[in-house]
Amino acid sequence: MTSTTAKLIRLRHAEIAPGFAVSRALPTREQRMVGAWCFLDHMGPVEFNGQGMHVAAHPHTCLQTFTWLIEGEILHRDSLGSEQVLKPGEVNLMTAGHGITHTEDTLPEAQHLHAAQLWIALPKKLANTPPRFQHYAELPRWARHGAHFTLLAGEYEGHIAPTEVHNPLLGLDLHFPSGHADSHAGPQALDLALNPAFEHGVLVLQGEVSINGHTLHEEFWYQAAGAAQLRLEATPGSRLLLLGGEPWEQHITLWWNFAGHDKAALSEAQADWETGNSRFGRVPGETERLKAPPQPW
Ligand code: MN
């Protein structure tokens, strides 16, 4: 494979709570990660009929959960006692490290949801770091050629995101508002500079987007390290997520909601969850704990 190889990866559909389906871009058989980004679910846009999304108490290890909210409201609660309503334009970042338990619920008054749920693998030296929860209401925002940029992680065009990550990463939301003066002219074109040391991925969150002339349909665009630029064309109202990162060199395995640098770590985490070990505390008010499926090894 040459250093500038790109590929289109078909999105998978997964059910994360009863009756609540999402599109999964990472991991797939074709591509496990983009840098340290190791999981990417696109939730919605969806309208609920009273039910909403309710993800019961479940554990995480050795990763950060990174939630980017576009529409709706999600209540995060965890075993550290954190309780935070996430609103549009904000990020919740939970560093699981050695172990944490959390729940995620949409609020009854918010009958719609549109979000990206990501995980970031932790390097081996931080695998057992104490758990931590951070909420970011303010992120760098700017506009260029009718495109609205929000920097979620890393650095781009001289801006630096405040989100505390532990790997060289990029996370960028790009929105092309439908009210823009040029929007009558059809798709807007935009050249995006890339860090050639990073591999990249693009997920369309709304509308129609093409990259270097390929229109994405239910596909995730993967670009190997070595590329310096992407040419985007986006219809008015489109939104996309650009991820980047230094190609991940360490061995890491994902199993259910756990990440680990070896299978022994995953087995231990699961045993600790199943036996109610204090490593995974209780979420105040939790009524149900998710069960891990049996490990295949
Ligand atoms: Mn979770």
Side-chain angles (χ1 to χ4, degrees), residues 42-182:
H42 182 202
M43 306 155 92
V46 62
E47 289 282 336
F48 299 120
N49 284 316
Q51 262 290 11
M53 176 192 79
H54 301 283
V55 184
H58 62 280
H60 289 288
T61 55
C62 196
L63 54 82
Q64 296 179 290
T65 65
F66 189 108
T67 312
W68 165 235
L69 194 68
I70 299 156
E71 285 175 48
E73 286 185 323
I74 298 177
L75 171 63
H76 162 94
R77 282 198 183 105
D78 66 42
S79 50
L80 300 173
S82 319
E83 182 169 334
Q84 179 69 54
V85 174
L86 183 64
K87 293 182 184 292
E90 302 180 345
V91 163
N92 273 355
L93 179 63
M94 184 178 80
T95 304
H98 184 60
I100 195 166
T101 309
H102 77 145
T103 60
E104 291 157 297
D105 297 280
T106 49
L107 297 175
E109 52 273 28
Q111 282 297 308
H112 57 295
L113 180 67
H114 192 194
Q117 169 80 72
L118 299 118
W119 296 351
I120 304 167
L122 285 173
K124 195 163 189 174
K125 63 176 194 291
L126 293 174
N128 288 307
T129 196
R132 189 160 185 211
F133 174 78
Q134 290 155 294
H135 172 72
Y136 297 93
E138 300 291 334
L139 296 161
R141 293 170 197 282
W142 68 101
R144 176 162 69 82
H145 297 311
H148 289 212
F149 293 68
T150 306
L151 187 60
L152 309 179
E155 296 183 26
Y156 200 75
E157 295 191 351
H159 301 270
I160 299 174
T163 42
E164 192 184 356
V165 296
H166 305 282
N167 310 272
L169 281 184
L170 172 68
L172 182 70
D173 177 278
L174 262 179
H175 182 220
F176 296 82
S178 41
H180 185 257
D182 291 347

Side-chain angles (χ1 to χ4, degrees), residues 18 26 73 213 257 264:
L26 290 174
E73 286 185 323
N257 288 300

